[in-house]
PDB file of all heavy atoms in Angstrom:
ATOM      1  N   TYR A   1      -3.535  -5.621  -6.854  1.00 73.00           N
ATOM      2  CA  TYR A   1      -3.747  -6.224  -8.129  1.00 73.00           C
ATOM      3  C   TYR A   1      -2.669  -7.310  -8.329  1.00 73.00           C
ATOM      4  O   TYR A   1      -1.528  -7.064  -8.825  1.00 73.00           O
ATOM      5  CB  TYR A   1      -3.620  -5.155  -9.174  1.00 73.00           C
ATOM      6  CG  TYR A   1      -3.830  -5.729 -10.612  1.00 73.00           C
ATOM      7  CD1 TYR A   1      -5.167  -6.085 -10.914  1.00 73.00           C
ATOM      8  CD2 TYR A   1      -2.824  -5.940 -11.505  1.00 73.00           C
ATOM      9  CE1 TYR A   1      -5.398  -6.617 -12.212  1.00 73.00           C
ATOM     10  CE2 TYR A   1      -3.068  -6.418 -12.735  1.00 73.00           C
ATOM     11  CZ  TYR A   1      -4.319  -6.761 -13.128  1.00 73.00           C
ATOM     12  OH  TYR A   1      -4.550  -7.313 -14.297  1.00 73.00           O
ATOM     13  N   LYS A   2      -3.009  -8.579  -8.011  1.00 63.00           N
ATOM     14  CA  LYS A   2      -2.243  -9.779  -8.400  1.00 63.00           C
ATOM     15  C   LYS A   2      -0.778  -9.565  -8.294  1.00 63.00           C
ATOM     16  O   LYS A   2      -0.026  -9.607  -9.314  1.00 63.00           O
ATOM     17  CB  LYS A   2      -2.628 -10.222  -9.779  1.00 63.00           C
ATOM     18  CG  LYS A   2      -4.119 -10.667  -9.969  1.00 63.00           C
ATOM     19  CD  LYS A   2      -4.342 -11.895  -9.214  1.00 63.00           C
ATOM     20  CE  LYS A   2      -5.798 -12.286  -9.360  1.00 63.00           C
ATOM     21  NZ  LYS A   2      -6.153 -13.470  -8.441  1.00 63.00           N
ATOM     22  N   HIS A   3      -0.224  -9.493  -7.130  1.00 57.00           N
ATOM     23  CA  HIS A   3       1.191  -9.408  -6.778  1.00 57.00           C
ATOM     24  C   HIS A   3       1.915  -8.258  -7.243  1.00 57.00           C
ATOM     25  O   HIS A   3       3.161  -8.219  -7.217  1.00 57.00           O
ATOM     26  CB  HIS A   3       1.893 -10.734  -7.394  1.00 57.00           C
ATOM     27  CG  HIS A   3       1.162 -11.982  -7.148  1.00 57.00           C
ATOM     28  ND1 HIS A   3       0.896 -12.465  -5.850  1.00 57.00           N
ATOM     29  CD2 HIS A   3       0.568 -12.940  -7.978  1.00 57.00           C
ATOM     30  CE1 HIS A   3       0.209 -13.598  -5.907  1.00 57.00           C
ATOM     31  NE2 HIS A   3       0.010 -13.906  -7.170  1.00 57.00           N
ATOM     32  N   SER A   4       1.229  -7.248  -7.878  1.00 66.00           N
ATOM     33  CA  SER A   4       1.864  -6.070  -8.313  1.00 66.00           C
ATOM     34  C   SER A   4       2.395  -5.229  -7.104  1.00 66.00           C
ATOM     35  O   SER A   4       1.624  -5.055  -6.197  1.00 66.00           O
ATOM     36  CB  SER A   4       0.971  -5.233  -9.101  1.00 66.00           C
ATOM     37  OG  SER A   4       0.635  -5.950 -10.346  1.00 66.00           O
ATOM     38  N   VAL A   5       3.616  -4.743  -7.198  1.00 72.00           N
ATOM     39  CA  VAL A   5       4.116  -3.816  -6.155  1.00 72.00           C
ATOM     40  C   VAL A   5       4.712  -2.671  -6.815  1.00 72.00           C
ATOM     41  O   VAL A   5       5.178  -2.730  -7.972  1.00 72.00           O
ATOM     42  CB  VAL A   5       5.096  -4.504  -5.186  1.00 72.00           C
ATOM     43  CG1 VAL A   5       4.471  -5.653  -4.422  1.00 72.00           C
ATOM     44  CG2 VAL A   5       6.368  -4.976  -5.869  1.00 72.00           C
ATOM     45  N   CYS A   6       4.736  -1.570  -6.097  1.00 70.00           N
ATOM     46  CA  CYS A   6       5.376  -0.367  -6.615  1.00 70.00           C
ATOM     47  C   CYS A   6       6.079   0.326  -5.420  1.00 70.00           C
ATOM     48  O   CYS A   6       5.465   0.793  -4.454  1.00 70.00           O
ATOM     49  CB  CYS A   6       4.270   0.503  -7.153  1.00 70.00           C
ATOM     50  SG  CYS A   6       4.919   1.819  -8.348  1.00 70.00           S
ATOM     51  N   LYS A   7       7.350   0.344  -5.452  1.00 74.00           N
ATOM     52  CA  LYS A   7       8.143   0.979  -4.336  1.00 74.00           C
ATOM     53  C   LYS A   7       8.009   2.510  -4.365  1.00 74.00           C
ATOM     54  O   LYS A   7       7.958   3.062  -5.466  1.00 74.00           O
ATOM     55  CB  LYS A   7       9.597   0.575  -4.377  1.00 74.00           C
ATOM     56  CG  LYS A   7       9.801  -0.874  -4.072  1.00 74.00           C
ATOM     57  CD  LYS A   7      11.266  -1.247  -4.063  1.00 74.00           C
ATOM     58  CE  LYS A   7      12.015  -0.583  -2.886  1.00 74.00           C
ATOM     59  NZ  LYS A   7      13.359  -1.009  -2.793  1.00 74.00           N
ATOM     60  N   VAL A   8       7.994   3.077  -3.171  1.00 75.00           N
ATOM     61  CA  VAL A   8       7.846   4.489  -3.149  1.00 75.00           C
ATOM     62  C   VAL A   8       8.958   5.353  -3.829  1.00 75.00           C
ATOM     63  O   VAL A   8       8.701   6.410  -4.332  1.00 75.00           O
ATOM     64  CB  VAL A   8       7.704   4.926  -1.625  1.00 75.00           C
ATOM     65  CG1 VAL A   8       9.011   4.800  -0.878  1.00 75.00           C
ATOM     66  CG2 VAL A   8       7.178   6.410  -1.488  1.00 75.00           C
ATOM     67  N   ASP A   9      10.113   4.752  -3.908  1.00 71.00           N
ATOM     68  CA  ASP A   9      11.255   5.425  -4.533  1.00 71.00           C
ATOM     69  C   ASP A   9      11.531   5.004  -5.936  1.00 71.00           C
ATOM     70  O   ASP A   9      12.575   5.147  -6.545  1.00 71.00           O
ATOM     71  CB  ASP A   9      12.524   5.352  -3.721  1.00 71.00           C
ATOM     72  CG  ASP A   9      12.876   3.943  -3.338  1.00 71.00           C
ATOM     73  OD1 ASP A   9      12.141   3.011  -3.678  1.00 71.00           O
ATOM     74  OD2 ASP A   9      13.916   3.709  -2.646  1.00 71.00           O
ATOM     75  N   ASP A  10      10.580   4.260  -6.575  1.00 72.00           N
ATOM     76  CA  ASP A  10      10.806   3.695  -7.932  1.00 72.00           C
ATOM     77  C   ASP A  10      10.432   4.741  -8.992  1.00 72.00           C
ATOM     78  O   ASP A  10       9.241   5.134  -9.041  1.00 72.00           O
ATOM     79  CB  ASP A  10       9.872   2.386  -8.097  1.00 72.00           C
ATOM     80  CG  ASP A  10      10.118   1.705  -9.411  1.00 72.00           C
ATOM     81  OD1 ASP A  10      10.842   2.297 -10.261  1.00 72.00           O
ATOM     82  OD2 ASP A  10       9.658   0.606  -9.595  1.00 72.00           O
ATOM     83  N   PRO A  11      11.376   5.169  -9.783  1.00 70.00           N
ATOM     84  CA  PRO A  11      11.146   6.207 -10.753  1.00 70.00           C
ATOM     85  C   PRO A  11      10.169   5.789 -11.800  1.00 70.00           C
ATOM     86  O   PRO A  11       9.483   6.595 -12.537  1.00 70.00           O
ATOM     87  CB  PRO A  11      12.531   6.492 -11.379  1.00 70.00           C
ATOM     88  CG  PRO A  11      13.292   5.252 -11.136  1.00 70.00           C
ATOM     89  CD  PRO A  11      12.838   4.679  -9.823  1.00 70.00           C
ATOM     90  N   ASN A  12       9.952   4.426 -12.037  1.00 67.00           N
ATOM     91  CA  ASN A  12       9.004   3.930 -13.039  1.00 67.00           C
ATOM     92  C   ASN A  12       7.599   3.718 -12.431  1.00 67.00           C
ATOM     93  O   ASN A  12       6.708   3.217 -13.080  1.00 67.00           O
ATOM     94  CB  ASN A  12       9.480   2.586 -13.526  1.00 67.00           C
ATOM     95  CG  ASN A  12      10.854   2.749 -14.208  1.00 67.00           C
ATOM     96  OD1 ASN A  12      11.064   3.648 -15.005  1.00 67.00           O
ATOM     97  ND2 ASN A  12      11.738   1.801 -13.916  1.00 67.00           N
ATOM     98  N   CYS A  13       7.417   4.212 -11.165  1.00 66.00           N
ATOM     99  CA  CYS A  13       6.182   3.981 -10.484  1.00 66.00           C
ATOM    100  C   CYS A  13       5.223   5.128 -10.656  1.00 66.00           C
ATOM    101  O   CYS A  13       5.474   6.190 -10.204  1.00 66.00           O
ATOM    102  CB  CYS A  13       6.478   3.782  -9.023  1.00 66.00           C
ATOM    103  SG  CYS A  13       5.041   3.472  -8.015  1.00 66.00           S
ATOM    104  N   ASP A  14       4.119   4.885 -11.452  1.00 63.00           N
ATOM    105  CA  ASP A  14       3.208   5.994 -11.653  1.00 63.00           C
ATOM    106  C   ASP A  14       1.969   5.917 -10.726  1.00 63.00           C
ATOM    107  O   ASP A  14       1.338   6.905 -10.508  1.00 63.00           O
ATOM    108  CB  ASP A  14       2.700   6.100 -13.158  1.00 63.00           C
ATOM    109  CG  ASP A  14       2.126   4.733 -13.636  1.00 63.00           C
ATOM    110  OD1 ASP A  14       2.153   3.791 -12.831  1.00 63.00           O
ATOM    111  OD2 ASP A  14       1.733   4.703 -14.819  1.00 63.00           O
ATOM    112  N   THR A  15       1.677   4.759 -10.218  1.00 71.00           N
ATOM    113  CA  THR A  15       0.665   4.583  -9.247  1.00 71.00           C
ATOM    114  C   THR A  15       1.180   3.696  -8.061  1.00 71.00           C
ATOM    115  O   THR A  15       1.510   2.582  -8.213  1.00 71.00           O
ATOM    116  CB  THR A  15      -0.571   3.781  -9.844  1.00 71.00           C
ATOM    117  OG1 THR A  15      -1.011   4.575 -11.047  1.00 71.00           O
ATOM    118  CG2 THR A  15      -1.734   3.714  -8.888  1.00 71.00           C
ATOM    119  N   LEU A  16       1.285   4.354  -6.969  1.00 81.00           N
ATOM    120  CA  LEU A  16       1.848   3.700  -5.801  1.00 81.00           C
ATOM    121  C   LEU A  16       0.831   2.809  -5.137  1.00 81.00           C
ATOM    122  O   LEU A  16      -0.118   3.239  -4.496  1.00 81.00           O
ATOM    123  CB  LEU A  16       2.335   4.756  -4.748  1.00 81.00           C
ATOM    124  CG  LEU A  16       3.019   4.230  -3.501  1.00 81.00           C
ATOM    125  CD1 LEU A  16       4.308   3.404  -3.845  1.00 81.00           C
ATOM    126  CD2 LEU A  16       3.415   5.357  -2.509  1.00 81.00           C
ATOM    127  N   LEU A  17       1.048   1.505  -5.262  1.00 90.00           N
ATOM    128  CA  LEU A  17       0.273   0.505  -4.638  1.00 90.00           C
ATOM    129  C   LEU A  17       0.778   0.163  -3.252  1.00 90.00           C
ATOM    130  O   LEU A  17       1.731   0.722  -2.814  1.00 90.00           O
ATOM    131  CB  LEU A  17       0.108  -0.721  -5.595  1.00 90.00           C
ATOM    132  CG  LEU A  17      -0.481  -0.483  -6.915  1.00 90.00           C
ATOM    133  CD1 LEU A  17      -0.318  -1.692  -7.807  1.00 90.00           C
ATOM    134  CD2 LEU A  17      -1.910  -0.089  -6.781  1.00 90.00           C
ATOM    135  N   LEU A  18       0.182  -0.809  -2.633  1.00 95.00           N
ATOM    136  CA  LEU A  18       0.672  -1.348  -1.311  1.00 95.00           C
ATOM    137  C   LEU A  18       1.824  -2.343  -1.535  1.00 95.00           C
ATOM    138  O   LEU A  18       1.895  -3.025  -2.517  1.00 95.00           O
ATOM    139  CB  LEU A  18      -0.439  -1.951  -0.543  1.00 95.00           C
ATOM    140  CG  LEU A  18      -1.614  -1.073  -0.254  1.00 95.00           C
ATOM    141  CD1 LEU A  18      -2.713  -1.955   0.413  1.00 95.00           C
ATOM    142  CD2 LEU A  18      -1.301   0.150   0.554  1.00 95.00           C
ATOM    143  N   TYR A  19       2.709  -2.375  -0.500  1.00 96.00           N
ATOM    144  CA  TYR A  19       3.825  -3.281  -0.639  1.00 96.00           C
ATOM    145  C   TYR A  19       4.001  -4.013   0.777  1.00 96.00           C
ATOM    146  O   TYR A  19       4.447  -3.429   1.730  1.00 96.00           O
ATOM    147  CB  TYR A  19       5.139  -2.490  -0.955  1.00 96.00           C
ATOM    148  CG  TYR A  19       6.296  -3.328  -1.270  1.00 96.00           C
ATOM    149  CD1 TYR A  19       6.238  -4.710  -1.361  1.00 96.00           C
ATOM    150  CD2 TYR A  19       7.424  -2.687  -1.585  1.00 96.00           C
ATOM    151  CE1 TYR A  19       7.324  -5.490  -1.720  1.00 96.00           C
ATOM    152  CE2 TYR A  19       8.670  -3.519  -1.945  1.00 96.00           C
ATOM    153  CZ  TYR A  19       8.575  -4.845  -1.963  1.00 96.00           C
ATOM    154  OH  TYR A  19       9.635  -5.672  -2.308  1.00 96.00           O
ATOM    155  N   GLU A  20       3.450  -5.216   0.882  1.00 97.00           N
ATOM    156  CA  GLU A  20       3.409  -6.011   2.039  1.00 97.00           C
ATOM    157  C   GLU A  20       2.821  -5.247   3.253  1.00 97.00           C
ATOM    158  O   GLU A  20       3.485  -5.084   4.265  1.00 97.00           O
ATOM    159  CB  GLU A  20       4.829  -6.566   2.384  1.00 97.00           C
ATOM    160  CG  GLU A  20       5.277  -7.630   1.423  1.00 97.00           C
ATOM    161  CD  GLU A  20       6.394  -8.477   1.996  1.00 97.00           C
ATOM    162  OE1 GLU A  20       6.806  -8.347   3.081  1.00 97.00           O
ATOM    163  OE2 GLU A  20       6.953  -9.328   1.190  1.00 97.00           O
ATOM    164  N   PRO A  21       1.582  -4.807   3.138  1.00 98.00           N
ATOM    165  CA  PRO A  21       0.891  -4.151   4.263  1.00 98.00           C
ATOM    166  C   PRO A  21       0.781  -5.100   5.451  1.00 98.00           C
ATOM    167  O   PRO A  21       0.512  -6.244   5.242  1.00 98.00           O
ATOM    168  CB  PRO A  21      -0.497  -3.706   3.662  1.00 98.00           C
ATOM    169  CG  PRO A  21      -0.720  -4.808   2.586  1.00 98.00           C
ATOM    170  CD  PRO A  21       0.625  -5.008   1.940  1.00 98.00           C
ATOM    171  N   ASN A  22       1.030  -4.607   6.615  1.00 98.00           N
ATOM    172  CA  ASN A  22       1.051  -5.443   7.822  1.00 98.00           C
ATOM    173  C   ASN A  22      -0.211  -5.152   8.713  1.00 98.00           C
ATOM    174  O   ASN A  22      -0.402  -5.883   9.693  1.00 98.00           O
ATOM    175  CB  ASN A  22       2.230  -5.213   8.616  1.00 98.00           C
ATOM    176  CG  ASN A  22       3.388  -6.147   8.251  1.00 98.00           C
ATOM    177  OD1 ASN A  22       4.064  -6.770   9.050  1.00 98.00           O
ATOM    178  ND2 ASN A  22       3.694  -6.229   6.936  1.00 98.00           N
ATOM    179  N   ASP A  23      -0.934  -4.056   8.432  1.00 98.00           N
ATOM    180  CA  ASP A  23      -2.096  -3.852   9.321  1.00 98.00           C
ATOM    181  C   ASP A  23      -3.105  -2.925   8.618  1.00 98.00           C
ATOM    182  O   ASP A  23      -2.771  -2.169   7.717  1.00 98.00           O
ATOM    183  CB  ASP A  23      -1.607  -3.080  10.637  1.00 98.00           C
ATOM    184  CG  ASP A  23      -2.619  -3.344  11.784  1.00 98.00           C
ATOM    185  OD1 ASP A  23      -3.573  -4.152  11.571  1.00 98.00           O
ATOM    186  OD2 ASP A  23      -2.441  -2.747  12.860  1.00 98.00           O
ATOM    187  N   VAL A  24      -4.292  -2.974   9.080  1.00 98.00           N
ATOM    188  CA  VAL A  24      -5.442  -2.087   8.531  1.00 98.00           C
ATOM    189  C   VAL A  24      -6.389  -1.870   9.737  1.00 98.00           C
ATOM    190  O   VAL A  24      -6.666  -2.783  10.463  1.00 98.00           O
ATOM    191  CB  VAL A  24      -6.142  -2.836   7.362  1.00 98.00           C
ATOM    192  CG1 VAL A  24      -6.715  -4.192   7.737  1.00 98.00           C
ATOM    193  CG2 VAL A  24      -7.229  -1.879   6.780  1.00 98.00           C
ATOM    194  N   LYS A  25      -6.817  -0.577   9.860  1.00 98.00           N
ATOM    195  CA  LYS A  25      -7.702  -0.171  10.877  1.00 98.00           C
ATOM    196  C   LYS A  25      -8.784   0.719  10.190  1.00 98.00           C
ATOM    197  O   LYS A  25      -8.405   1.621   9.397  1.00 98.00           O
ATOM    198  CB  LYS A  25      -7.030   0.540  12.019  1.00 98.00           C
ATOM    199  CG  LYS A  25      -6.191  -0.373  12.819  1.00 98.00           C
ATOM    200  CD  LYS A  25      -6.929  -1.391  13.679  1.00 98.00           C
ATOM    201  CE  LYS A  25      -6.042  -2.231  14.532  1.00 98.00           C
ATOM    202  NZ  LYS A  25      -5.377  -3.356  13.764  1.00 98.00           N
ATOM    203  N   LEU A  26     -10.076   0.541  10.633  1.00 98.00           N
ATOM    204  CA  LEU A  26     -11.154   1.311  10.105  1.00 98.00           C
ATOM    205  C   LEU A  26     -11.485   2.477  11.104  1.00 98.00           C
ATOM    206  O   LEU A  26     -11.669   2.307  12.281  1.00 98.00           O
ATOM    207  CB  LEU A  26     -12.336   0.462   9.903  1.00 98.00           C
ATOM    208  CG  LEU A  26     -13.648   1.128   9.423  1.00 98.00           C
ATOM    209  CD1 LEU A  26     -13.567   1.640   7.971  1.00 98.00           C
ATOM    210  CD2 LEU A  26     -14.837   0.221   9.559  1.00 98.00           C
ATOM    211  N   PHE A  27     -11.712   3.741  10.551  1.00 96.00           N
ATOM    212  CA  PHE A  27     -12.282   4.793  11.316  1.00 96.00           C
ATOM    213  C   PHE A  27     -13.214   5.498  10.417  1.00 96.00           C
ATOM    214  O   PHE A  27     -12.844   5.997   9.339  1.00 96.00           O
ATOM    215  CB  PHE A  27     -11.237   5.734  11.820  1.00 96.00           C
ATOM    216  CG  PHE A  27     -11.823   7.022  12.504  1.00 96.00           C
ATOM    217  CD1 PHE A  27     -12.601   6.889  13.624  1.00 96.00           C
ATOM    218  CD2 PHE A  27     -11.554   8.215  11.986  1.00 96.00           C
ATOM    219  CE1 PHE A  27     -13.225   8.025  14.243  1.00 96.00           C
ATOM    220  CE2 PHE A  27     -12.144   9.363  12.531  1.00 96.00           C
ATOM    221  CZ  PHE A  27     -12.938   9.260  13.700  1.00 96.00           C
ATOM    222  N   GLU A  28     -14.463   5.675  10.876  1.00 95.00           N
ATOM    223  CA  GLU A  28     -15.573   6.166  10.048  1.00 95.00           C
ATOM    224  C   GLU A  28     -15.534   5.434   8.706  1.00 95.00           C
ATOM    225  O   GLU A  28     -15.701   4.243   8.649  1.00 95.00           O
ATOM    226  CB  GLU A  28     -15.358   7.689   9.883  1.00 95.00           C
ATOM    227  CG  GLU A  28     -15.716   8.394  11.220  1.00 95.00           C
ATOM    228  CD  GLU A  28     -15.535   9.923  11.188  1.00 95.00           C
ATOM    229  OE1 GLU A  28     -14.949  10.458  10.267  1.00 95.00           O
ATOM    230  OE2 GLU A  28     -16.144  10.543  12.124  1.00 95.00           O
ATOM    231  N   ASN A  29     -15.297   6.095   7.633  1.00 94.00           N
ATOM    232  CA  ASN A  29     -15.272   5.353   6.311  1.00 94.00           C
ATOM    233  C   ASN A  29     -13.883   5.400   5.632  1.00 94.00           C
ATOM    234  O   ASN A  29     -13.762   5.433   4.414  1.00 94.00           O
ATOM    235  CB  ASN A  29     -16.346   5.934   5.372  1.00 94.00           C
ATOM    236  CG  ASN A  29     -17.046   4.824   4.592  1.00 94.00           C
ATOM    237  OD1 ASN A  29     -17.116   3.698   5.083  1.00 94.00           O
ATOM    238  ND2 ASN A  29     -17.335   5.121   3.297  1.00 94.00           N
ATOM    239  N   THR A  30     -12.858   5.409   6.508  1.00 98.00           N
ATOM    240  CA  THR A  30     -11.530   5.488   5.980  1.00 98.00           C
ATOM    241  C   THR A  30     -10.719   4.355   6.618  1.00 98.00           C
ATOM    242  O   THR A  30     -10.840   4.079   7.756  1.00 98.00           O
ATOM    243  CB  THR A  30     -10.786   6.787   6.335  1.00 98.00           C
ATOM    244  OG1 THR A  30     -11.531   7.934   5.676  1.00 98.00           O
ATOM    245  CG2 THR A  30      -9.387   6.817   5.837  1.00 98.00           C
ATOM    246  N   LEU A  31      -9.953   3.661   5.735  1.00 98.00           N
ATOM    247  CA  LEU A  31      -9.008   2.586   6.192  1.00 98.00           C
ATOM    248  C   LEU A  31      -7.631   3.196   6.385  1.00 98.00           C
ATOM    249  O   LEU A  31      -7.051   3.930   5.484  1.00 98.00           O
ATOM    250  CB  LEU A  31      -8.928   1.488   5.178  1.00 98.00           C
ATOM    251  CG  LEU A  31     -10.141   0.650   4.963  1.00 98.00           C
ATOM    252  CD1 LEU A  31      -9.899  -0.335   3.843  1.00 98.00           C
ATOM    253  CD2 LEU A  31     -10.762   0.077   6.160  1.00 98.00           C
ATOM    254  N   TYR A  32      -7.092   2.981   7.554  1.00 98.00           N
ATOM    255  CA  TYR A  32      -5.691   3.367   7.815  1.00 98.00           C
ATOM    256  C   TYR A  32      -4.814   2.122   7.737  1.00 98.00           C
ATOM    257  O   TYR A  32      -5.054   1.101   8.338  1.00 98.00           O
ATOM    258  CB  TYR A  32      -5.573   3.944   9.251  1.00 98.00           C
ATOM    259  CG  TYR A  32      -6.189   5.288   9.462  1.00 98.00           C
ATOM    260  CD1 TYR A  32      -7.574   5.483   9.396  1.00 98.00           C
ATOM    261  CD2 TYR A  32      -5.405   6.425   9.669  1.00 98.00           C
ATOM    262  CE1 TYR A  32      -8.148   6.716   9.572  1.00 98.00           C
ATOM    263  CE2 TYR A  32      -5.995   7.647   9.802  1.00 98.00           C
ATOM    264  CZ  TYR A  32      -7.349   7.807   9.837  1.00 98.00           C
ATOM    265  OH  TYR A  32      -7.914   9.047   9.928  1.00 98.00           O
ATOM    266  N   ILE A  33      -3.812   2.192   6.880  1.00 98.00           N
ATOM    267  CA  ILE A  33      -3.059   0.994   6.482  1.00 98.00           C
ATOM    268  C   ILE A  33      -1.565   1.238   6.729  1.00 98.00           C
ATOM    269  O   ILE A  33      -0.976   2.310   6.372  1.00 98.00           O
ATOM    270  CB  ILE A  33      -3.215   0.783   4.943  1.00 98.00           C
ATOM    271  CG1 ILE A  33      -4.701   0.635   4.657  1.00 98.00           C
ATOM    272  CG2 ILE A  33      -2.471  -0.501   4.498  1.00 98.00           C
ATOM    273  CD1 ILE A  33      -5.067   0.829   3.157  1.00 98.00           C
ATOM    274  N   ALA A  34      -0.960   0.175   7.380  1.00 98.00           N
ATOM    275  CA  ALA A  34       0.511   0.270   7.492  1.00 98.00           C
ATOM    276  C   ALA A  34       1.072  -0.358   6.286  1.00 98.00           C
ATOM    277  O   ALA A  34       1.076  -1.600   6.041  1.00 98.00           O
ATOM    278  CB  ALA A  34       0.925  -0.536   8.725  1.00 98.00           C
ATOM    279  N   ASP A  35       1.616   0.499   5.433  1.00 97.00           N
ATOM    280  CA  ASP A  35       2.139   0.093   4.100  1.00 97.00           C
ATOM    281  C   ASP A  35       3.624  -0.171   4.368  1.00 97.00           C
ATOM    282  O   ASP A  35       4.519   0.611   4.063  1.00 97.00           O
ATOM    283  CB  ASP A  35       2.025   1.178   3.091  1.00 97.00           C
ATOM    284  CG  ASP A  35       2.343   0.788   1.700  1.00 97.00           C
ATOM    285  OD1 ASP A  35       2.702  -0.435   1.467  1.00 97.00           O
ATOM    286  OD2 ASP A  35       2.251   1.554   0.754  1.00 97.00           O
ATOM    287  N   THR A  36       3.896  -1.364   4.947  1.00 98.00           N
ATOM    288  CA  THR A  36       5.164  -1.667   5.606  1.00 98.00           C
ATOM    289  C   THR A  36       6.414  -1.485   4.760  1.00 98.00           C
ATOM    290  O   THR A  36       7.333  -0.776   5.122  1.00 98.00           O
ATOM    291  CB  THR A  36       5.119  -3.091   6.202  1.00 98.00           C
ATOM    292  OG1 THR A  36       3.995  -3.133   7.103  1.00 98.00           O
ATOM    293  CG2 THR A  36       6.339  -3.434   6.934  1.00 98.00           C
ATOM    294  N   ASN A  37       6.431  -2.169   3.583  1.00 97.00           N
ATOM    295  CA  ASN A  37       7.679  -2.064   2.818  1.00 97.00           C
ATOM    296  C   ASN A  37       7.860  -0.723   1.997  1.00 97.00           C
ATOM    297  O   ASN A  37       8.885  -0.496   1.476  1.00 97.00           O
ATOM    298  CB  ASN A  37       7.805  -3.257   1.879  1.00 97.00           C
ATOM    299  CG  ASN A  37       8.169  -4.542   2.515  1.00 97.00           C
ATOM    300  OD1 ASN A  37       8.228  -4.552   3.775  1.00 97.00           O
ATOM    301  ND2 ASN A  37       8.425  -5.515   1.719  1.00 97.00           N
ATOM    302  N   ASN A  38       6.756   0.105   2.042  1.00 96.00           N
ATOM    303  CA  ASN A  38       6.954   1.460   1.477  1.00 96.00           C
ATOM    304  C   ASN A  38       7.191   2.458   2.624  1.00 96.00           C
ATOM    305  O   ASN A  38       7.302   3.706   2.387  1.00 96.00           O
ATOM    306  CB  ASN A  38       5.694   1.863   0.780  1.00 96.00           C
ATOM    307  CG  ASN A  38       5.722   1.404  -0.668  1.00 96.00           C
ATOM    308  OD1 ASN A  38       6.762   1.525  -1.268  1.00 96.00           O
ATOM    309  ND2 ASN A  38       4.578   1.018  -1.261  1.00 96.00           N
TER     310      ASN A  38
END
């Protein structure tokens, strides 16, 4: 969502989004994502 990031250790983070993901892979109907900065 438009440059929004949420760090995994941020106490103000109620919904953990992605933070500079570096990879994505599909298996069946699931995406596996390298959430790099988290």
Side-chain angles (χ1 to χ4, degrees):
Y1 183 73
K2 296 294 181 186
H3 313 300
S4 295
V5 297
C6 202
K7 291 183 70 174
V8 69
D9 52 359
D10 185 349
N12 299 314
C13 179
D14 56 357
T15 303
L16 183 60
L17 299 172
L18 302 176
Y19 191 4
E20 290 197 5
N22 272 227
D23 205 9
V24 57
K25 291 289 182 285
L26 176 70
F27 173 62
E28 292 181 340
N29 218 32
T30 298
L31 296 178
Y32 289 69
I33 304 157
D35 190 3
T36 300
N37 283 9
N38 274 323

